[in-house]
């Protein structure tokens, strides 16, 4: 069955620390990969996406993610987090050409000033 | 930037009652979706809608659920007879084309008592 796994449920970091959030998926076909962020009280917003090409994709606010096909992973990274990065982060996958997104359970990031 | 808007932000209803959750997708988008997130769980796909008909639905989307685009701008989710387990945050989303990143609304928190 198709699934998306985010192994970290809650991550607590100090400002300026580096961040890496894990995402693994299990799908047989060609996939499109996304990271969404949900700031407190706000809607889901797209951080970055991978459709094809360079497996290292850069998104908004200094985030990047690397697609490693052999590991079925799409980990999110940021070299230096800020307090304003406190939010819930969701990895999502869709099969190429399909409509529906499959989400991971989300990772709550708390950044301590 | 255009937004997906959802109303109401919070709906409280009694078990067995009908509820209608409303969404106004981004105007030039063609694909519309409903997702839900039960507290503490992952965001789950409910249904996708294109060209005035359901294009895909999950097993959650049973006969108690229906969607409609009554007037070319609104996109509604109706739950005919609510159950306690329908309590969740319901997100509407829209996309310009199949497989494109989705734009999400702020969600409607449905509480069934």
């Amino acid at each position: 069955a198709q699934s998306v796994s985010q192994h970290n449920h809650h991550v607590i970091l100090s400002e300026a620390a580096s961040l890496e959030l894990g995402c693994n998926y299990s799908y047989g076909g060609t996939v499109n990969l996304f990271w969404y962020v949900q700031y407190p009280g706000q809607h889901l917003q797209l951080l970055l996406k991978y459709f094809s090409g360079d497996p290292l994709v850069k998104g908004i606010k200094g985030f990047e993610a690397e697609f490693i096909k052999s590991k079925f992973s799409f980990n999110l990274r940021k070299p230096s987090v800020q307090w304003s990065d406190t939010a819930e982060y969701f990895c999502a996958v869709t099969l190429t050409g399909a409509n529906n997104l499959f989400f991971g359970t989300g990772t709550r990031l708390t950044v301590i000033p | 930037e255009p937004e997906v808007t959802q109303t109401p932000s919070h709906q409280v209803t009694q078990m067995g009652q009908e509820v209608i959750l409303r969404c106004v997708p981004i105007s030039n988008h063609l694909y519309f979706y409903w997702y839900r997130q039960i507290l503490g769980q992952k965001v789950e796909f409910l249904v996708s809608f294109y060209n005035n008909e359901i294009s895909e639905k999950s097993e959650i989307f049973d006969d108690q659920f229906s969607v409609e685009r009554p007037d070319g701008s609104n996109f509604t989710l109706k739950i005919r007879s609510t159950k306690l387990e329908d309590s969740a945050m319901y997100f509407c989303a829209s996309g310009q084309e199949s497989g494109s990143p989705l734009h999400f609304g702020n969600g409607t928190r449905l509480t069934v008592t």
Side-chain angles (χ1 to χ4, degrees), chain A residues 4 32 34 36 38 41-44 46 49 51 90 94 97-101 103-105, chain B residues 3 31 33 35 37 41-43 45 48 55-56 91 98-106:
Chain A
V4 181
N32 296 331
F34 307 82
Y36 282 86
Q38 188 175 26
Q42 296 188 28
H43 58 87
L44 288 160
L46 181 68
K49 63 184 186 290
F51 282 9
F90 294 91
T94 184
N99 290 325
N100 52 318
L101 282 173
F103 282 86
T105 49
Chain B
E3 288 185 346
Y31 292 82
Y33 307 81
Y35 287 79
Q37 185 180 25
Q41 298 186 26
K42 65 174 68 177
V43 177
F45 168 76
S48 60
S55 50
E56 206 164 343
F91 293 103
S98 179
S100 64
L102 302 186
H103 295 252
F104 285 84
N106 280 347

Side-chain angles (χ1 to χ4, degrees), chain B residues 47-102:
Chain B
V47 65
S48 60
F49 192 87
Y50 170 71
N51 201 25
N52 284 320
E53 60 183 22
I54 291 173
S55 50
E56 206 164 343
K57 60 182 180 179
S58 71
E59 57 192 30
I60 302 168
F61 194 87
D62 61 22
D63 292 344
Q64 293 300 311
F65 291 88
S66 62
V67 289
E68 202 176 33
R69 190 158 159 79
D71 56 13
S73 63
N74 290 285
F75 179 52
T76 61
L77 174 69
K78 183 194 291 187
I79 308 175
R80 212 179 326 275
S81 175
T82 50
K83 303 187 284 282
L84 293 176
E85 53 265 37
D86 293 327
S87 295
M89 184 74 98
Y90 287 81
F91 293 103
C92 174
S94 67
Q96 208 159 19
E97 54 193 41
S98 179
S100 64
L102 302 186

Side-chain angles (χ1 to χ4, degrees), chain A residues 5-8 20-24 35 73-76 91 107:
Chain A
S5 301
Q6 291 181 247
H7 306 293
N8 314 104
E20 180 159 2
L21 302 182
C23 172
N24 289 89
W35 275 97
S73 70
F74 189 56
N75 291 355
L76 181 72
C91 180
T107 297

Side-chain angles (χ1 to χ4, degrees), chain A:
Chain A
Q2 301 134 333
S3 69
V4 181
S5 301
Q6 291 181 247
H7 306 293
N8 314 104
H9 295 294
H10 190 189
V11 173
I12 303 173
L13 295 172
S14 298
E15 272 194 318
S18 65
L19 170 73
E20 180 159 2
L21 302 182
C23 172
N24 289 89
Y25 65 92
S26 61
Y27 286 93
T30 306
V31 295
N32 296 331
L33 298 153
F34 307 82
W35 275 97
Y36 282 86
V37 61
Q38 188 175 26
Y39 297 104
Q42 296 188 28
H43 58 87
L44 288 160
Q45 300 173 42
L46 181 68
L47 261 185
L48 48 77
K49 63 184 186 290
Y50 171 80
F51 282 9
S52 63
D54 188 345
L56 183 63
V57 291
K58 295 191 185 300
I60 59 172
K61 305 187 181 185
F63 286 91
E64 65 179 33
E66 185 175 12
F67 170 51
I68 303 179
K69 191 175 180 180
S70 60
K71 295 184 178 180
F72 296 89
S73 70
F74 189 56
N75 291 355
L76 181 72
R77 299 195 292 249
K78 185 171 183 177
S80 176
V81 294
Q82 301 171 304
W83 175 79
S84 56
D85 293 324
T86 294
E88 187 110 19
Y89 292 81
F90 294 91
C91 180
V93 175
T94 184
L95 291 176
T96 302
N99 290 325
N100 52 318
L101 282 173
F102 291 94
F103 282 86
T105 49
T107 297
R108 185 152 61 100
L109 172 66
T110 302
V111 180
I112 302 168

